């Protein structure tokens, strides 16, 4: 008689799910390091046989499609959790940067893959909502005089995205660590035209309120 766990899964099904998860974790890490990483290299990093790997992902496209979906879901969830209807532009932008930082590995991987495959519809569609929200928030802040307006909002958004990505890569490399994203968020706001002291205080306030809400 075949046994099952508390969720009704058989040992074989648990193994299949475990292998799939290991492959996705290894793929995310390898593709962050090298967007051209081979499937065989990813399988080796995951500790699974090639046959097992290709049983889950018969092609590179299938693997990347799954990773893109997973990363997009996490990014959208992070932004939805951070969003608040009554936030002014500076607070809203701070919440967005902190949210992106919280899913930093996923964010970095998506950007790296997008750069490797420019024009790929899946990456553009996944990142589009976050980018559109950032541009709208920057534009609102420019109208209200709290963000610099020397660049159009879409151009400023691209420059600031590059800044956050560079900081995320430095954070991952460990010579400089910013686990909560406070330093990165402050740097983002300063680059957007907010005075350094005001930027730091805004970030600290958002982080403090987030911790208080989590404790409650």
């Amino acid at each position: 008689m075949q046994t099952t766990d508390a969720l009704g899964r058989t040992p074989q099904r648990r193994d299949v799910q475990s292998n799939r998860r290991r492959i996705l974790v290894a793929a995310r890490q390898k593709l962050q390091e090298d967007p051209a990483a081979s499937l065989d290299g990813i399988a080796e990093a995951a500790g699974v046989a090639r046959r097992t790997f290709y049983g889950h992902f018969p092609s590179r496209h299938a693997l990347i499609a799954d990773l893109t979906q997973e990363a997009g879901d996490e990014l959208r969830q992070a932004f939805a959790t951070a969003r608040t209807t009554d936030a002014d532009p500076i607070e809203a932008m701070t919440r967005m940067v902190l949210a992106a930082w919280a899913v930093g590995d996923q964010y970095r991987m998506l950007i790296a893959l997008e750069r490797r495959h420019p024009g790929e519809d899946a990456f553009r569609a996944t990142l589009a909502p976050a980018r559109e929200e950032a541009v709208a928030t920057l534009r609102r802040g420019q109208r209200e005089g709290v963000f610099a307006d020397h660049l159009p909002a879409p151009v400023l958004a691209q420059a600031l995205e590059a800044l956050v990505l560079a900081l995320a890569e430095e954070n991952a490399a460990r010579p400089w660590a910013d686990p909560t994203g406070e330093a990165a968020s402050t740097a983002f706001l300063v680059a957007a035209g907010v005075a350094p002291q005001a930027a730091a205080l805004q970030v600290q306030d958002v982080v403090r309120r987030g911790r208080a809400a989590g404790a409650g």
Side-chain angles (χ1 to χ4, degrees):
M1 181 177 178
Q2 197 172 43
T3 61
T4 61
D5 65 10
L7 297 177
R9 298 173 302 187
T10 66
Q12 183 178 17
R13 185 180 171 196
R14 290 199 300 272
D15 288 345
V16 168
Q17 292 174 333
S18 175
N19 285 336
R20 184 181 184 84
R21 175 51 48 192
R22 284 163 59 193
I23 291 169
L24 289 172
V25 169
R28 189 160 55 242
Q29 180 62 42
K30 295 290 287 184
L31 290 170
Q32 284 167 13
E33 297 169 357
D34 176 14
S38 70
L39 297 186
D40 285 352
I42 293 171
E44 182 178 355
V48 300
R50 292 177 75 251
R51 179 178 178 180
T52 299
F53 180 95
Y54 286 102
H56 287 285
F57 301 104
S59 67
R60 186 180 187 82
H61 178 79
L63 173 63
I64 290 178
D66 220 63
L67 286 168
T68 301
Q69 179 66 47
E70 181 182 73
D73 289 345
E74 289 199 22
L75 189 61
R76 282 188 291 273
Q77 181 59 46
F79 271 55
T81 301
R83 193 177 295 119
T84 180
T85 56
D86 59 350
D88 62 38
I90 297 179
E91 180 184 345
M93 205 76 254
T94 302
R95 289 178 174 277
M96 290 180 67
V97 179
L98 290 170
W101 200 260
V103 290
D105 286 349
Q106 301 281 35
Y107 173 73
R108 286 172 51 232
M109 185 200 67
L110 280 173
I111 299 294
L113 289 173
E114 184 190 38
R115 288 178 171 179
R116 181 75 182 179
H117 306 278
E120 187 80 24
D121 288 344
F123 303 129
R124 291 194 310 179
T126 298
L127 290 164
R131 286 171 168 163
E132 290 168 2
E133 185 173 349
V135 170
T137 304
L138 287 170
R139 188 174 282 128
R140 180 161 64 98
Q142 288 177 330
R143 288 197 302 268
E144 296 179 15
V146 297
F147 290 142
D149 60 1
H150 59 292
L151 293 173
V155 178
L156 182 58
Q158 289 185 33
L160 293 171
E161 180 181 277
L163 170 64
V164 173
L165 180 62
L167 293 175
E169 289 172 345
E170 286 299 314
N171 187 61
R174 297 300 179 191
W176 168 74
D178 183 21
T180 64
E182 292 182 52
S185 299
T186 301
F188 182 104
L189 292 178
V190 171
V194 180
Q197 185 175 8
L201 289 173
Q202 175 67 84
V203 173
Q204 290 167 14
D205 182 58
V206 171
V207 170
R208 177 185 57 77
R209 282 188 283 156
R211 287 173 178 162

